[in-house]
Amino acid sequence: MKKLAVVFLITLLCSNFAYAGKPVIESGKGYVGELPVLGKKIEDEKTESETKPQYEKVKEFTTKEEIKNIPRDDPAFVNIILKADKNTQYINDINDLLPMLEKIYDMIEDDVDVQKFVATTYFFNKNVECLREKYENRPEFYFISFQKLLETDLHIQTVANLRAEAVKNTPYMAFGGDGKIYNSVNIQDQLSYLLKEIEETIMAIKNVY
């Protein structure tokens, strides 16, 4: 009898606990109580976990024409984008001489008059001399590009002097001996050799890096 009373008490306590929490399963009636709104809770958690992108989508190139060429002649690009080493200043300095070399090349091809040719080559020589003084005691002085530049400058000055002297001396010299040096055929040959040398020097400078 005492054992039966204990079982009855346990059953009564469990029944009261179930009603306090509302969700109860009764025989033949199914679930009794309020169901939690699971869908809204999942959506809230999903919204909190998502983060907005901090950048805009990068434009995709559709044609090769949209890609710009590298601004090789821009010192800012060489210094900042390429992050060149300690020779960057040398690259900038030697690149500055390219337009002058190309101008001399065009002047030879266009057979510009001697006075303009001599003036242009003189200006080029002064720029080369400045670089010679700047790099004379530095490793860059022995670079192939720099040595090629010095050789070409010497050849340019030789041809410029030859043309200037030809204009001045030819009328007073016979066609023979020293006078043969200043004839048009010899001068034209020297200009042809100089064109090839300038081409090689331009390529050497452009291939520095």
Side-chain angles (χ1 to χ4, degrees):
M1 185 69 179
K2 186 177 181 179
K3 185 176 181 180
L4 184 61
V6 171
V7 172
F8 177 76
L9 180 61
I10 291 173
T11 303
L12 181 63
L13 289 174
C14 290
S15 176
N16 290 336
F17 177 78
Y19 274 107
K22 288 190 178 180
V24 179
I25 299 176
E26 295 184 4
S27 178
K29 293 185 179 180
Y31 185 84
V32 177
E34 297 179 0
L35 291 173
V37 185
L38 297 177
K40 186 176 185 305
K41 183 178 181 182
I42 293 173
E43 285 298 324
D44 291 341
E45 291 178 353
K46 182 178 179 182
T47 302
E48 291 175 2
S49 63
E50 290 180 349
T51 56
K52 295 182 180 180
Q54 301 300 311
Y55 59 90
E56 295 182 359
K57 185 178 180 182
V58 178
K59 177 185 176 183
E60 296 180 356
F61 289 111
T62 56
T63 62
K64 291 182 180 180
E65 286 71 17
E66 294 183 48
I67 303 176
K68 296 182 179 180
N69 294 327
I70 294 176
R72 180 184 178 279
D73 57 346
D74 184 355
F77 176 82
V78 176
N79 289 330
I80 301 172
I81 307 302
L82 292 185
K83 299 185 182 298
D85 59 15
K86 63 182 179 180
N87 296 323
T88 296
Q89 187 57 55
Y90 169 76
I91 293 173
N92 290 340
D93 287 340
I94 203 168
N95 275 341
D96 287 341
L97 296 180
L98 277 177
M100 286 181 274
L101 267 177
E102 291 169 346
K103 183 176 181 179
I104 293 172
Y105 185 94
D106 292 339
M107 293 179 77
I108 295 174
E109 283 201 321
D110 297 339
D111 195 23
V112 173
D113 68 78
V114 176
Q115 187 175 1
K116 290 181 180 179
F117 182 78
V118 171
T120 303
T121 57
Y122 175 81
F123 180 69
F124 175 75
N125 174 254
K126 291 305 177 183
N127 280 270
V128 172
E129 286 300 314
C130 287
L131 290 189
R132 181 199 290 272
E133 293 178 5
K134 181 175 182 178
Y135 292 103
E136 192 168 10
N137 297 315
R138 294 168 59 175
E140 292 89 342
F141 183 84
Y142 301 98
F143 286 3
I144 293 175
S145 55
F146 197 73
Q147 289 298 311
K148 188 68 178 172
L149 180 65
L150 295 178
E151 292 173 6
T152 302
D153 175 56
L154 179 60
H155 193 178
I156 288 174
Q157 298 312 311
T158 300
V159 173
N161 290 334
L162 179 63
R163 293 190 68 186
E165 290 176 3
V167 171
K168 181 174 62 175
N169 298 325
T170 298
Y172 309 103
M173 290 187 176
F175 188 77
D178 292 339
K180 188 176 181 180
I181 298 175
Y182 301 116
N183 71 62
S184 60
V185 175
N186 181 57
I187 291 177
Q188 192 58 47
D189 288 342
Q190 294 301 319
L191 289 171
S192 296
Y193 298 146
L194 183 57
L195 277 177
K196 293 179 182 178
E197 187 167 349
I198 292 175
E199 284 179 357
E200 293 174 0
T201 303
I202 289 174
M203 290 304 299
I205 292 174
K206 288 184 175 181
N207 290 327
V208 169
Y209 62 90

